[in-house]
Amino acid sequence: MIQLKGIQKQYGTGAAQVTALKHIDLTVNKGEIFGIIGHSGAGKSTLIRTINLLERPSAGQVLIDGVDMTALGTGRLQEERRTIGMIFQHFNLLTSDTVAENIAFPLRLAGQSKAQVAARVQELIGLVGLDGHGDKYPSQLSGGQKQRVGIARALATNPKVLLCDEATSALDPQTTQSILSLLLSINKELQITIVLITHEMQVIRSICDRVAVIDGGEIVEAGPVTDVFLKP
Ligand code: ADP
Ligand code: ADP
């Protein structure tokens, strides 16, 4: 489903150059929840942002269902990106738009009609458990509710893959568990492959099938969660 081949990433040039990723080879299978764990600065954020080319790798290839994302022109890349949803630590919602408008955003970009957008937004609001909150603004929601909006927006265009960038790191433990349960049901019921990054072992233990440990821009260990970390 997702293949990263020989991914390298340098930021900056000359004396200011930082190597964020040294040489990453990684395969994520269709239907699994794959976790990437590491300390701050290990390269997690850079790695996950490479999958949808929010960061363009300095070298290497990103293949999604066999399509080499790194070889696509702007138009095709935009199209292929709709098959990859993403959620963020700080939710990245448009604060002056309502819940419904935030979720509608990618559908409008995709050129859907008003009626199509309205129907899909209602469906998504139900899916993430936010019925009755469509007309609220992000400032009126709790952290967990904001992340539910982020999830609904990410799923709007029916992606095959959902990327989660420290999606629960700003949430308390109880809210974290409820968001992880939602992600698990999305994975199981909608057959969406999930890649998440986290610095929290508990997140890996609760929902991931396989895990890679990243340190200093390199994958130092990878395998089934039960092999890499003993379950509690
Ligand atoms: P993590 O997500 O594990 O905290 P990052 O991928 O954010 O790690 O960062 C990996 C390394 O790359 C760090 O040394 C960080 O300072 C550096 N880095 C990340 N983004 C940039 C950037 N835009 N410009 C320069 N250096 C960056
Ligand atoms: P995260 O919480 O996802 O790990 P960070 O706090 O590491 O995010 O980084 C937030 C933003 O700052 C990202 O866009 C990242 O690329 C950028 N960034 C991180 N480290 C550096 C750095 N050393 N120099 C410039 N930009 C950086």
Side-chain angles (χ1 to χ4, degrees):
M1 173 98 245
I2 302 170
Q3 282 175 285
L4 304 180
K5 294 186 178 176
I7 296 292
Q8 295 176 37
K9 177 69 183 184
Q10 279 98 30
Y11 290 109
T13 52
Q17 193 175 82
V18 175
T19 299
L21 300 176
K22 284 182 184 157
H23 186 100
I24 304 280
D25 291 312
L26 190 67
T27 300
V28 176
N29 301 319
K30 195 174 171 62
E32 74 180 338
I33 303 185
F34 194 98
I36 298 165
I37 190 165
H39 298 297
S40 180
K44 303 181 296 294
S45 212
T46 302
L47 181 58
I48 201 164
R49 290 158 59 89
T50 301
I51 296 174
N52 60 358
L53 266 74
L54 277 183
E55 292 292 352
R56 191 162 272 280
S58 310
Q61 290 178 307
V62 179
L63 293 113
I64 309 285
D65 263 349
V67 176
D68 183 357
M69 300 286 283
T70 41
L72 300 180
T74 323
R76 275 293 310 285
L77 180 60
Q78 299 289 37
E79 243 171 69
E80 287 295 328
R81 269 200 185 131
R82 282 190 203 130
T83 69
I84 309 173
M86 189 162 188
I87 59 172
F88 305 91
Q89 179 172 6
H90 300 294
F91 324 118
N92 295 13
L93 302 180
L94 300 166
T95 52
S96 54
D97 281 356
T98 63
V99 166
E101 287 163 349
N102 268 281
I103 299 170
F105 189 75
L107 300 169
R108 295 235 174 83
L109 274 188
Q112 292 194 8
S113 73
K114 266 195 168 172
Q116 277 176 313
V117 171
R120 180 73 177 136
V121 166
Q122 271 322 303
E123 187 181 15
L124 289 158
I125 284 179
L127 178 78
V128 298
L130 285 179
D131 281 315
H133 297 285
D135 293 331
K136 290 189 178 164
Y137 287 87
S139 61
Q140 298 173 282
L141 303 177
S142 69
Q145 290 173 324
K146 285 182 203 169
Q147 194 56 290
R148 286 170 190 268
V149 179
I151 292 169
R153 180 182 58 186
L155 297 181
T157 56
N158 278 313
K160 301 180 276 197
V161 176
L162 179 63
L163 305 178
C164 309
D165 185 348
E166 297 275 6
T168 57
S169 299
L171 305 176
D172 63 55
Q174 200 183 335
T175 311
T176 292
Q177 279 312 317
S178 76
I179 293 296
L180 293 177
S181 305
L182 177 60
L183 292 176
L184 189 60
S185 75
I186 285 165
N187 167 256
K188 297 285 173 261
E189 282 159 35
L190 306 177
Q191 276 95 48
I192 292 177
T193 304
I194 295 181
V195 181
L196 64 85
I197 64 167
T198 184
H199 59 276
E200 292 172 303
M201 188 81 89
Q202 194 47 43
V203 170
I204 302 285
R205 280 191 178 133
S206 30
I207 62 164
C208 294
D209 301 306
R210 288 198 301 145
V211 61
V213 182
I214 185 169
D215 190 25
E218 290 181 289
I219 289 175
V220 293
E221 207 170 349
V225 173
T226 39
D227 294 357
V228 176
F229 306 117
L230 290 176
K231 292 250 182 186

